[in-house]
Amino acid sequence: MITYEVTTTVEPSLVDAYERYMREVHIPDLLATGCFLGAALTRSEPGRYRVRYESTTHSDLDRYLATHAARLRDDFASHFPQGISVSREVWVAIQTW
């Protein structure tokens, strides 16, 4: 299992708009690419979020990055040109129980 993890820190004035955009637009659009099996939007505290996208193979993630990522990142940036910091990581499951 491959996890593509996106962590964001959102300024307080943008929290409601960010959550709505992620639920209604960004995550559904990303899942519509067919590159991921599912996603989870989580929050550790107001303004601190993590989205985990799960794929079964690294080639699915590579296909997303090569074909879809630029378009979806541009759309995100057009909605939130400032006030949100983003970091991305890829995790590979070694073993699951």
Side-chain angles (χ1 to χ4, degrees):
M1 183 69 64
I2 307 298
T3 301
Y4 179 55
E5 184 177 285
V6 181
T7 303
T8 54
T9 303
V10 181
E11 288 184 1
S13 64
L14 298 174
V15 164
D16 290 340
Y18 170 82
E19 285 189 18
R20 185 172 46 258
Y21 173 79
M22 293 302 287
R23 285 186 178 115
E24 297 174 5
V25 179
H26 190 73
I27 294 172
D29 286 353
L30 199 141
L31 291 175
T33 67
C35 298
F36 299 96
L37 300 172
L41 173 63
T42 58
R43 177 182 65 220
S44 64
E45 59 187 59
R48 179 92 171 125
Y49 297 89
R50 178 177 64 186
V51 185
R52 287 186 344 260
Y53 302 98
E54 303 288 340
S55 67
T56 53
T57 67
H58 216 291
S59 63
D60 288 331
L61 174 60
D62 291 342
R63 181 167 45 92
Y64 165 74
L65 293 171
T67 307
H68 305 285
R71 171 181 54 84
L72 292 170
R73 289 175 185 176
D74 287 347
D75 185 68
F76 181 90
S78 74
H79 285 85
F80 302 100
Q82 57 188 351
I84 299 178
S85 65
V86 179
S87 66
R88 298 171 181 88
E89 289 185 279
V90 176
W91 296 81
V92 179
I94 297 170
Q95 183 173 351
T96 57
W97 289 263

